[in-house]
C-alpha cells in the first residue's frame, strides 16, 4: 500500500486539502477509538461481496491505521474469491492495491517510516496473530497485509510505502500490485538485457507494465500476445514492436513466435495466469 502522511486528505472532487498530522496511539489512551466505516466483506467462495459497516480498531505498536482513498481491483482478488486460494479464511476484507492517508500510528512507527517497502503476506492476520477488523464483535480476516476494500484499514509498518504528496492516489494505487508485478519481473527478476527479444502473453495491466519495462531495458523486439486486438494500439504506444492475436494465426502461437524471433524469444512473460501458456513457451 502506498500512502502519504496525514498532512492531507482526499476530497470528493479528487483534490487534496489541508488536514492535521496523524495521531500517535499509545497504550492506555482513551482518545483513540474504534472507527466504524463501510467495507466490502467476503463471506464465502464464489459469492458476491457484502458492503456493510465494520469496526476498525486502533493500531498497536508498529502498526498504521490508514484512510483508504483509492483501491485497484486486481485479478488476484477475483482469483481468491473464486476459490483459487484454498487457504483463504472467511470472513475477509479483500483488496491489496491501495493508496491512502495516515490516520493514526502505533508506537515506534516513525523511526522506520520512510524506509518501508511494499510487501504482503496472505496470512489473514496482523503480525501479532490478531485482527483489527470486526463486525459486532465477530472477527474479520485481513488480506495480504493490506485489505483495501474498506474505508479504513490497519497495516503492519512493513506493508506501506511513503509517496510524494503530489502523486494522484487514484492512479498510484496500482503500483501496489499490477504495475510493480509486471515492471519488476522484467527488470529485477528476469533482468532483460539490451538488444534481446521478448514476448509478453496478455496485455492487461501487468502485461502492459512488462512491455514498458522491456522497452526501458533496451529490448530490440517486444511481441505482445492477446486475443483482444483493441489493446494493440496502446501496447505499441508503450513499447511493443509487434502484436499478435492467436485467433488470427493458422498455426500454434508458440510456432508463430519462433518464426518471428528467428528461433525463439530470449525472454517470455506470462501475464494471463494460464499454466498451459508457460508449458508451451518453455517447449520451444
Amino acid at each position: 500500500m502506498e500512502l502519504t502522511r496525514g498532512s492531507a486528505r482526499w476530497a470528493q472532487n479528487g483534490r487534496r486539502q489541508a488536514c492535521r498530522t496523524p495521531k500517535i496511539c499509545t497504550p492506555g489512551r482513551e482518545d483513540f477509538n474504534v472507527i466504524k466505516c463501510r467495507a466490502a466483506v467476503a463471506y464465502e467462495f464464489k459469492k458476491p461481496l457484502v458492503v456493510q459497516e465494520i469496526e476498525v480498531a486502533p493500531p498497536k505498536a508498529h502498526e498504521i491505521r490508514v484512510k483508504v482513498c483509492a483501491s485497484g481491483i486486481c485479478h488476484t482478488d477475483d482469483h481468491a474469491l473464486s476459490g483459487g486460494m484454498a487457504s483463504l479464511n472467511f470472513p475477509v476484507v479483500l483488496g491489496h492495491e491501495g493508496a491512502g492517508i495516515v490516520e493514526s500510528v502505533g508506537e515506534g512507527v516513525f523511526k522506520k517510516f520512510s524506509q518501508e517497502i511494499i510487501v504482503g503476506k496472505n496470512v489473514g492476520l496482523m503480525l501479532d496473530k490478531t485482527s483489527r477488523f470486526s463486525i459486532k464483535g465477530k472477527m474479520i480476516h485481513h488480506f495480504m497485509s493490506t485489505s483495501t476494500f474498506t474505508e479504513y484499514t490497519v497495516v503492519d509498518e512493513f506493508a506501506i510505502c511513503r509517496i510524494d504528496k503530489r502523486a494522484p492516489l487514484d492512479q498510484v494505487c496500482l503500483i501496489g500490485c499490477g504495475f510493480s508485478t509486471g515492471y519488476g519481473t522484467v527488470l529485477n527478476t528476469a533482468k532483460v538485457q539490451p538488444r534481446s527479444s521478448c514476448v509478453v502473453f496478455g496485455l492487461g495491466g501487468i502485461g502492459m507494465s512488462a512491455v514498458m519495462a522491456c522497452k526501458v531495458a533496451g529490448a530490440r523486439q517486444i511481441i505482445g500476445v492477446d486475443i483482444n486486438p483493441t489493446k494493440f494500439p496502446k501496447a505499441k504506444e508503450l513499447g511493443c514492436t509487434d502484436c499478435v492475436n492467436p485467433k488470427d494465426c493458422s498455426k500454434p502461437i508458440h510456432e508463430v513466435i519462433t518464426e518471428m524471433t528467428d528461433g525463439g524469444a530470449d525472454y517470455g512473460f506470462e501475464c494471463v495466469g494460464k499454466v498451459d501458456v508457460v508449458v508451451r513457451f518453455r517447449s520451444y
Side-chain angles (χ1 to χ4, degrees):
M1 171 178 288
E2 294 82 29
L3 50 82
T4 179
R5 295 282 277 278
S7 56
R9 68 180 175 85
W10 196 243
Q12 292 297 321
N13 62 3
R15 301 180 62 185
R16 288 182 176 135
Q17 297 178 348
C19 188
R20 56 174 173 70
T21 56
K23 300 175 291 187
I24 301 178
C25 295
T26 56
R29 293 187 60 175
E30 298 180 354
D31 54 336
F32 296 105
N33 300 320
V34 170
I35 289 178
K36 292 184 178 181
C37 67
R38 293 180 303 164
V41 184
Y43 282 92
E44 56 183 302
F45 291 123
K46 301 181 180 180
K47 295 294 183 180
L49 302 178
V50 178
V51 179
Q52 61 188 126
E53 186 178 82
I54 69 170
E55 297 91 36
V56 183
K60 296 182 181 180
H62 300 288
E63 297 176 358
I64 302 97
R65 187 160 61 182
V66 180
K67 178 180 180 181
V68 180
C69 299
S71 177
I73 302 176
C74 180
H75 189 270
T76 300
D77 298 306
D78 180 69
H79 178 69
L81 193 59
S82 64
M85 291 184 179
S87 62
L88 190 66
N89 295 305
F90 294 100
V92 59
V93 175
L94 299 174
H96 60 284
E97 290 182 337
I101 310 297
V102 173
E103 182 272 336
S104 56
V105 299
E107 288 187 301
V109 170
F110 283 114
K111 296 178 181 178
K112 299 181 180 180
F113 195 88
S114 62
Q115 302 172 7
E116 304 311 324
I117 58 175
I118 306 169
V119 293
K121 293 183 179 180
N122 187 28
V123 296
L125 298 170
M126 304 294 287
L127 287 179
D128 68 352
K129 302 297 191 294
T130 63
S131 173
R132 301 294 166 268
F133 299 137
S134 63
I135 295 181
K136 298 180 180 179
K138 182 179 180 180
M139 185 185 77
I140 306 173
H141 291 86
H142 295 252
F143 183 68
M144 289 191 168
S145 301
T146 46
S147 290
T148 59
F149 290 175
T150 173
E151 293 177 317
Y152 284 87
T153 188
V154 177
V155 299
D156 291 298
E157 62 180 348
F158 70 80
I160 64 171
C161 178
R162 186 179 181 183
I163 61 172
D164 193 298
K165 294 180 181 179
R166 296 169 295 179
L169 300 184
D170 59 341
Q171 298 177 38
V172 78
C173 64
L174 300 177
I175 296 178
C177 179
F179 175 80
S180 54
T181 298
Y183 202 86
T185 297
V186 171
L187 298 181
N188 299 330
T189 304
K191 294 181 172 58
V192 168
Q193 297 299 305
R195 304 299 301 166
S196 60
S197 58
C198 302
V199 56
V200 178
F201 296 94
L203 296 174
I206 293 176
M208 292 292 196
S209 299
V211 168
M212 288 188 283
C214 288
K215 182 178 180 180
V216 169
R220 62 176 175 79
Q221 185 177 24
I222 305 171
I223 303 173
V225 180
D226 202 290
I227 60 175
N228 183 356
T230 63
K231 298 179 180 180
F232 293 168
K234 176 60 69 174
K236 289 185 176 181
E237 179 183 331
L238 295 177
C240 277
T241 56
D242 307 275
C243 291
V244 180
N245 183 347
K247 292 185 175 181
D248 295 336
C249 301
S250 59
K251 59 182 66 176
I253 187 63
H254 63 279
E255 293 183 12
V256 174
I257 298 298
T258 300
E259 293 180 359
M260 294 178 66
T261 56
D262 192 23
D266 297 314
Y267 301 91
F269 301 94
E270 192 284 304
C271 304
V272 183
K274 301 291 185 181
V275 176
D276 59 325
V277 173
V278 178
V279 173
R280 292 183 182 182
F281 178 77
R282 289 175 62 87
S283 67
Y284 75 84

